[in-house]
Amino acid sequence: MIQKTVLPNGVRILSEQVPSVRSCSIGIWVESGSRHEPEALCGISHFLEHMLFKGTETRTAAQLATAFDAIGGQVNAFTTKENTCYYTKTLDTHIAEATELLCDMFFHSRFGEEETNLERGVILEEIGMYEDSPEDLVVERLASAIYDGSPLGRPILGTKERLQTIHGSTLGEYCRSHYNPANTLVSIAGSFTQQDLDRLAERFGAMAGGGPLECPPAQYRPAFVQKKKEIEQNHLCVAFPGIPSGSDDRYAMLVMNNILGGGMSSRLFQRVREESGLCYTIYSFSATHSDTGYFGIYTALGQPTERQALELIRQEVRRFAEEGPTAEEVARSVEQLKASALMGLESTSSRMTSNARSEFIYGRPLDADDIVKGYDAVTVEGVHALARRVLDFSQISFSAVGQVGDSSYYESILQPER
C-alpha cells in the first residue's frame, strides 16, 4: 500500500513497502525542468543536476563517490523537460547512510567555480555526443520545431553559448529559487522502517522556500525541419499532435501506439520492415507533457528507399485512422502492456519512479489495480476515436537528419493531395 505524507512545509513523502525484498530505492524529485528555465539560462537545470555530485560543504566529489560505493549503493540523477530526480538504491541495512549522502548533496552542494568550469566541459562533450547520435538529434530537432518559441522546445542539455554564461554563483542562486518545498517530493519504495521515514521527514521538514514554479504554456504547431549530415542513413521522424500526460485517453494512446509501432507484431514493423525489407528500425512513441504532447514515428534507412518507406507509413497511418484497430489487436496489446507494466513494478526503483510520476501527473500515486483497470477500460471504439482525432494529416510534422531533401519534397510524399 502506498502512503502519502505531506509535511507542514509542503514537501510530499510517498512510501511503499515491498514485501520479500532487501533493497530500498529513494528518489528526491523536484518539479523543475528545462521548460521552467528563462532563455538566458537554457540548460541550467541539467547543469545543476550534474553539480550536485561535485562536492558539498563537507565532502568532495571523490568522497561522495567512495561513500556510495562503500555501501554498495547505486546513485544517479536525470533531468527532463518538467522534472529533476536524484535517486539511490541500496540494501535496507544501509538506508541511513544513503539518506545522509543524498541529503548532503541536495542541501549542501558547494557549486565551486573550479568544479563548475570542469563540469561545463563534461556537458559540452555530452552535447557533442548527442550531435553525433542522429536518432536523438532528429527527435530533438522535431520537438524544437513543434514547440518553437516555447521553453518546451529548447534542448534539456542547453546550448554551448548559454552554458558559457553559467557560473557557480548562478547555479547556487537557481537552486535556492527553484528547489523549494512546494515542488519537492520524496519517494521511497522497498524494505525500510518507520525510523527511516522519520529521518526523511526530519531532513525535508526543515526545507524552506517559496511556492510552485510558473510553467509557461506550450502548444503543438505543425513543422517540417531538416538537417544535412554526412552519414550513411537518413533518420526520419513523422509526428502528429498527441495528448497531455494526464489525459483520460492515456491508456488508449498507449494501446494505439503499441498496435501501430510498439513492437515486432506492430503494423508498421510488419509492413515496412518484415514485408518490404526497407529498414532495420521502425517504431512509434508518445511524448507527453503536462499540457501538450505529440505522437511520433521514427525510422532510419538509406536515401534511395526513404520515399517508399514514407509512403508505406502514410498508408498505414491513414488506414488506421479510417478503419481503426481490430478487437484482436486491442485485446493482445492490452495484455502485453499490462504484463509489461506489472512486471516492471517488481523493481523497487520502478515503483519509486512510478509513484512519484503519478503523483505529479494525477495528484496521487497509482497502484497496480489502477493500472489494470485503466487498460481493461480500453475499447476498440475508444482507440479508433483517438486515432481519428490524433492522426490528422493537416497537422503532420516531420524531421529528417542525413543526406536529406527539402521540406517540399517530404511534404509531397506525406501530403500528396496538397
Side-chain angles (χ1 to χ4, degrees), residues 98-378:
T99 298
E100 163 58 28
L101 292 168
L102 202 59
C103 287
D104 191 26
M105 293 165 51
F106 191 76
F107 291 115
H108 304 297
S109 283
R110 290 183 56 250
F111 306 115
E113 201 60 38
E114 181 180 354
E115 292 83 3
T116 299
N117 290 333
L118 287 171
E119 201 61 25
R120 183 184 294 109
V122 172
I123 297 172
L124 292 176
E125 290 300 321
E126 189 177 0
I127 291 174
M129 180 182 71
Y130 274 88
E131 286 285 337
D132 286 342
S133 174
E135 183 173 354
D136 294 321
L137 184 60
V138 72
V139 175
E140 182 66 55
R141 288 180 57 81
L142 174 70
S144 295
I146 287 173
Y147 300 120
D148 185 36
S150 162
L152 195 57
R154 299 179 199 141
I156 293 173
L157 299 185
T159 64
K160 296 178 181 179
E161 295 75 23
R162 296 298 187 191
L163 291 175
Q164 296 295 343
T165 68
I166 297 174
H167 303 284
S169 58
T170 319
L171 290 158
E173 291 169 7
Y174 194 87
C175 182
R176 287 187 290 273
S177 64
H178 283 67
Y179 284 23
N180 59 65
N183 67 352
T184 298
L185 181 153
V186 182
S187 181
I188 177 171
S191 174
F192 55 87
T193 66
Q194 184 60 47
Q195 186 179 11
D196 297 320
L197 293 181
D198 292 342
R199 188 180 299 109
L200 286 169
E202 180 181 1
R203 297 300 296 267
F204 284 89
M207 189 178 182
L213 303 177
E214 291 293 325
C215 187
Q219 186 175 1
Y220 174 100
R221 285 195 290 266
F224 275 64
V225 60
Q226 296 82 44
K227 180 178 176 63
K228 291 190 179 294
K229 199 173 182 69
E230 289 299 319
I231 50 180
E232 289 297 318
Q233 289 188 313
N234 283 359
H235 294 252
L236 315 175
C237 196
V238 179
F240 300 88
I243 60 172
S245 51
S247 169
D248 292 338
D249 289 319
R250 58 189 180 273
Y251 290 104
M253 173 60 84
L254 291 168
V255 170
M256 184 183 87
N257 174 63
N258 197 56
I259 294 170
L260 264 176
M264 292 175 62
S265 65
S266 68
R267 291 189 180 192
L268 291 170
F269 190 93
Q270 286 295 314
R271 183 81 186 277
V272 181
R273 171 176 158 152
E274 297 298 279
E275 295 176 13
S276 305
L278 297 177
C279 66
Y280 179 77
T281 300
I282 184 168
Y283 61 83
S284 61
F285 61 95
S286 177
T288 61
H289 307 289
S290 59
D291 55 351
T292 185
Y294 66 90
F295 177 76
I297 298 167
Y298 165 86
T299 190
L301 32 65
Q303 194 276 336
T305 57
E306 69 173 6
R307 171 179 282 275
Q308 185 181 355
L310 287 172
E311 288 173 346
L312 290 177
I313 290 170
R314 185 194 72 224
Q315 292 168 14
E316 281 301 314
V317 171
R318 282 196 182 279
R319 184 164 71 92
F320 193 87
E322 292 169 1
E323 301 174 6
T326 66
E328 190 275 332
E329 284 177 319
V330 170
R332 183 178 69 242
S333 288
V334 164
E335 289 307 308
Q336 182 183 357
L337 291 167
K338 275 197 303 189
S340 176
L342 296 179
M343 286 190 291
L345 292 180
E346 294 179 0
S347 158
T348 61
S349 55
S350 294
R351 282 179 180 254
M352 178 275 291
T353 299
S354 176
N355 292 342
R357 284 181 170 157
S358 297
E359 172 67 24
F360 280 135
I361 295 170
Y362 314 120
R364 68 181 183 90
L366 304 183
D367 60 20
D369 289 340
D370 292 319
I371 294 170
V372 170
K373 289 176 184 176
Y375 280 119
D376 285 345
V378 176

